Amino acid sequence: MNILVSPGHTEGLAPGRPPQAVLGLIDVDIHPRAHSLTAFKPYLSQRWWDYLLTYGLRARHGFTGGQPPFPKAQPMASRRDAWPPGGSPASDLGFLRAQHLDHYGIDAGVLNPLQPSGQGDQNNLFSAAMARAVNEWQVEEWTRPEPRLHASIVVPYEDGEASAAEIRHWGGHKDFCQVLMMSRTAEPVGKQRYWPIYEAAQEVGLPVAFHAFGYSGWPMTNAGWPSFYIEEVSEHATSCQPQMTSLVVEGVFERFPKLKVILIECGFGWLPALAWRLDKHWKTLKSEVPHLKRAPSEYLREHVWVSTQPMEDPEKPEHLLDIIEWIGPDRILFASDYPHWDFDDPRLAIPSIIPLEQRQAIWGGNARRAYGFGEPL
């Protein structure tokens, strides 16, 4: 859903939270952006600041030179009205506060910094340094002056040990509510190279969020680079399926039984079908994975949460209810994707066919429980 609004009003809609969001409105997908790379200079050592100026960001991915590879990113993937005076979208706290937090009565928002974040950079040492800088930037520029905002621990996920160190560094900090990874990684995320991340996340009691996109160095398809953007963008949801399969089959949830996984901007209509297929094959291939003590679908339903943006919109609305029932109405979290052009207005994003009690939970109660947030502000 693409809704364009102004900071002070929405034509035909009164400002404020959805009237039925009695548990408080929580948005789990807000994308802050630095006004320029110089915003990170105070948080980088001289070595890494010089490195950034000299060599720049070098993502593990093709087609990233010159203009952004995705039409969605033109310009900066953002709503036309989300540009503050003299800045880029979501780079000004005051403007974001007025246009988004205050306008919709949002009690809590989760920050998910995208590029430049250092994630997926070819240089793992720089990736770690940049991740630390982005995390410090989130605290100083966003969460400290605005208590409604909660930060994500950005990690250099291709280096499991460095990521674990970053998680433990911030794990006791009140402003961080999750660990942030991308859905496109160099290897399937259940591989043991990533296990230090899950061990540290479970240790500090934070969920691990996988946000769609990222830089893996590999094409989305199993047969090479696609010709068209429509192929690339249609694979964002399907790229998450092998990742969830990997987490289950590699035994991550057996090894880390308290781990929570949150899928952000990944869709979720595919999840029941994936679970059915996994269960079907598991019944005849159990001997290959004796470390799995239960059917794959049980791990998915116990450990995985999903977000509403983008939410599938089937021609027969009752099919959406079936999907929600399978996933669990207590496992779905509201996400706006602010300030991007496919932003979802919280007053319109949750279809009325969903029962009121479930809508209330999606607007805020589910996220409050998943993240351990306190009572509404």
Side-chain angles (χ1 to χ4, degrees), residues 2 14 38 42 62 76 81 129 199 232 308 355 359-360:
N2 180 15
T38 58
M76 295 188 183
D81 68 340
E199 180 180 30
E232 179 93 4
T308 61
R359 277 181 281 150
Q360 291 174 337

Side-chain angles (χ1 to χ4, degrees), residues 291-304:
H291 50 277
L292 298 187
K293 309 304 181 185
R294 295 179 288 159
S297 62
E298 294 185 36
Y299 294 104
L300 292 171
R301 297 174 85 167
E302 179 180 338
H303 292 272
V304 176

Side-chain angles (χ1 to χ4, degrees), residues 34-55:
H35 55 79
S36 70
L37 287 177
T38 58
F40 301 113
K41 183 177 181 180
Y43 313 110
L44 287 168
S45 69
Q46 190 63 47
R47 172 198 175 183
W48 291 118
W49 175 246
D50 291 343
Y51 177 94
L52 179 59
L53 292 181
T54 303
Y55 301 102

